[in-house]
Amino acid sequence: MNDLTNNSFRHLFIGLDKKVSIINDNKIIAINLDNAATTPVFKSVLDRISKECELYGAIGRGLGQKSEYSTKIYAESRDYILDFFNASKEKYTVIFVNNTTEGINRLSNILIEDKSNIVITTRMEHHSNDLPWRGKCNLKYIEVDENGRLKLDELEYLLEKNKGLVKYVTITASSNVTGYINNLSYLSNLVHKYNAKIIVDGAQIVAHKKIDFSETNIDYLVFSAHKMYAPFGSGAIIGLKEEFERLNSDLKGGGTVETVLDNSEVLLPPPEKNEAGSPNFFGAIALVQSMKELENIGYDVIEKNEKILLKHTIKGLNSINRVISYGDNFNIEDRLGIVVFNLKDIYYAECASLLASLRAIAVRQGAFCAHPYVKRLLNMKDEEYRRHLLDTTCKMPGMVRASFGVYNSINELDIFLNTLELISKLK
């Protein structure tokens, strides 16, 4: 078991001991509590990239030894991803993308066949699983309760009310704001009961909790490498092979066709027909290498450690008088290692800036690309929330977020809590 006082996984990462400048030009080792945005890199990922550079060649575009080697490794990356998520190679395919946002945008372009198609999403979503669907379909939302959890009875109500007409339900596996984990097995069974399909934004969960397609029976999963300790501009869609075969791709060009005639073309089957242009070889192998490292650590260890860190942080936040916490901080079994809060009478951006300048603690501040959700957590109406757009003296509402990675320690969180308490007394 990993010692969480001084996390023994730190040696697996590059840059964690890099010193940065703080107030008065002092240099100290930074503390990263912004893992929900982007994670540091496994050393083994950089090692793998360096190794593969020696034999790198064009993917699927030549018979030279380096080209054939790279094509083989690229194809094996797809197979590894399917095996990692226990997804059937007969039923699913993997399409590489640049990130989750691009992946969901591409799904919204490919899957929606008519503007009348009904798609259900939620008010918990990151903008990347909300905005891509707007204007393309008949989009409906389910609400969240006072703690920010989904009102699942509303989902069933909408499915029943529009019985047989709902094409897709697109939903986050876990919130990037509160860390709530949604029950994918329950959701998938419910959605399939009404002959709809389920799309899962997996960006926030993949580095924290294992998703098993054979258990959850989801139809699509989209996720990014930069949330999994391999920030090389890559990600993947795992989706139903038969739907990608049936529907047109939103991208065309080199690598997508069997042949091109003067006035027509014959497309390759997916995933090739859905990956136009030269593939991001290094992005794919970086993603796979990071997944291998996470498997070596073990998701059971990751989940157990994270729960210890979460409990410790919530207890510490509760001991600071001016802290206002959001979400359910009592029943936390369905939460990832994320906390969101404000300090009373201190603007969130100032709080985050002081954490950085005083002790090189990186957190996120604002509304986390989830404005409708944050508005609800702050218990604000539309008119109040948007005042900053009309009144230059009014600042945009938001909060501070601290999010944990596999390498964070109790010692780091104690420094964070002590610094936050100091800030609360300074202002």
Side-chain angles (χ1 to χ4, degrees):
M1 179 61 184
N2 177 44
D3 178 10
L4 283 180
T5 303
N6 288 291
N7 193 306
S8 60
F9 295 135
R10 288 180 66 87
H11 72 283
L12 299 175
F13 296 89
I14 190 167
L16 294 189
D17 294 323
K18 178 76 173 178
K19 291 185 176 182
V20 298
S21 297
I22 59 169
I23 196 168
N24 297 327
D25 290 326
N26 292 319
K27 287 186 176 292
I28 61 172
I29 293 174
I31 296 174
N32 183 37
L33 298 179
D34 193 20
N35 295 281
T38 291
T39 51
V41 186
F42 280 125
K43 290 177 181 176
S44 66
V45 169
L46 293 181
D47 292 342
R48 180 79 192 277
I49 293 292
S50 297
K51 176 188 172 186
E52 298 300 347
C53 280
E54 297 179 2
L55 289 170
Y56 171 53
I59 310 296
R61 288 164 171 80
L63 295 178
Q65 285 83 352
K66 290 189 176 183
S67 178
E68 289 196 326
Y69 172 81
S70 296
T71 300
K72 175 176 175 288
I73 297 299
Y74 190 68
E76 288 175 353
S77 297
R78 293 192 212 276
D79 288 341
Y80 179 84
I81 289 171
L82 290 171
D83 289 339
F84 182 90
F85 290 103
N86 203 11
S88 163
K89 293 184 177 70
E90 288 69 42
K91 184 177 180 181
Y92 298 96
T93 189
V94 173
I95 295 166
F96 287 111
V97 292
N98 290 322
N99 48 54
T100 306
T101 301
E102 183 194 46
I104 295 174
N105 270 277
R106 294 200 62 196
L107 286 180
S108 72
N109 293 334
I110 294 169
L111 298 179
I112 301 302
E113 299 177 77
D114 190 280
K115 267 199 166 187
S116 65
N117 289 166
I118 296 176
V119 174
I120 299 173
T121 189
T122 85
R123 293 303 187 185
M124 179 185 277
E125 304 306 309
H126 189 283
H127 294 162
S128 295
N129 197 30
D130 178 358
L131 301 182
W133 303 99
R134 295 188 182 192
K136 295 177 185 174
C137 59
N138 184 356
L139 189 60
K140 300 182 183 297
Y141 295 88
I142 64 172
E143 273 294 348
V144 296
D145 64 19
E146 64 277 5
N147 284 317
R149 288 190 179 92
L150 293 180
K151 292 183 176 180
L152 294 178
D153 57 330
E154 289 192 6
L155 174 58
E156 186 156 19
Y157 168 78
L158 285 174
L159 287 166
E160 181 66 35
K161 181 181 178 182
N162 301 281
K163 198 168 186 176
L165 300 176
V166 177
K167 296 278 285 186
Y168 300 99
V169 173
T170 183
I171 196 165
T172 185
S174 58
S175 168
N176 71 309
V177 180
T178 53
Y180 289 137
I181 303 165
N182 291 317
N183 187 329
L184 296 182
S185 296
Y186 170 82
L187 289 165
S188 180
N189 288 334
L190 178 61
V191 169
H192 290 156
K193 175 183 170 184
Y194 290 89
N195 296 317
K197 292 182 172 65
I198 184 167
I199 299 164
V200 176
D201 174 355
Q204 204 54 236
I205 203 168
V206 285
H208 304 270
K209 188 176 180 68
K210 192 70 176 281
I211 293 177
D212 187 325
F213 269 63
S214 69
E215 291 179 2
T216 59
N217 198 27
I218 60 177
D219 300 298
Y220 296 88
L221 176 71
V222 194
F223 61 99
S224 297
H226 77 101
K227 310 280 193 183
M228 299 184 80
Y229 309 103
F232 280 87
S234 66
I237 302 168
I238 304 175
L240 296 171
K241 193 182 293 185
E242 65 176 9
E243 286 214 308
F244 285 121
E245 287 171 348
R246 180 177 65 85
L247 298 168
N248 291 327
S249 175
D250 59 332
L251 299 178
K252 292 184 177 182
T256 65
V257 291
E258 183 69 44
T259 190
V260 176
L261 306 173
D262 283 357
N263 298 302
S264 63
E265 66 274 351
V266 178
L267 294 171
L268 288 166
E272 287 83 6
K273 98 172 188 183
N274 298 97
E275 290 184 7
S278 297
N280 181 2
F281 173 71
F282 293 114
I285 60 174
L287 172 58
V288 165
Q289 184 60 39
S290 70
M291 293 165 77
K292 289 179 178 178
E293 283 286 9
L294 288 169
E295 283 209 297
N296 288 337
I297 293 170
Y299 276 90
D300 54 341
V301 172
I302 292 170
E303 288 187 57
K304 187 174 181 179
N305 287 357
E306 197 167 305
K307 199 62 71 178
I308 292 170
L309 296 177
L310 180 60
K311 289 178 179 177
H312 184 83
T313 305
I314 289 173
K315 182 179 179 181
L317 289 173
N318 288 340
S319 71
I320 301 173
N321 288 333
R322 294 173 68 183
V323 165
I324 305 166
S325 293
Y326 302 96
D328 187 345
N329 291 294
F330 298 96
N331 303 307
I332 62 171
E333 290 309 307
D334 64 342
R335 284 184 60 180
L336 299 180
I338 296 175
V339 292
V340 280
F341 63 92
N342 272 311
L343 281 179
K344 187 178 180 182
D345 300 325
I346 300 179
Y347 189 50
Y348 61 80
E350 185 178 6
C351 178
S353 178
L354 285 167
L355 285 168
S357 61
L358 292 175
R359 194 50 187 81
I361 299 168
V363 294
R364 176 76 189 279
Q365 74 289 335
F368 323 116
C369 296
H371 295 181
Y373 190 38
V374 167
K375 181 189 74 174
R376 285 159 172 78
L377 292 169
L378 292 170
N379 196 28
M380 299 178 75
K381 300 298 183 186
D382 259 355
E383 296 76 16
E384 185 181 6
Y385 187 80
R386 69 193 298 269
R387 270 185 58 207
H388 70 283
L389 297 172
L390 306 171
D391 182 355
T392 57
T393 66
C394 179
K395 296 178 179 178
M396 180 179 173
M399 52 185 73
V400 181
R401 180 185 72 193
S403 52
F404 316 140
V406 68
Y407 57 88
N408 286 127
S409 68
I410 293 288
N411 281 352
E412 288 180 314
L413 292 175
D414 282 341
I415 292 169
F416 159 67
L417 292 166
N418 289 336
T419 308
L420 195 62
E421 186 170 27
L422 174 64
I423 293 169
S424 73
K425 292 176 180 177
L426 285 175
K427 304 298 284 183

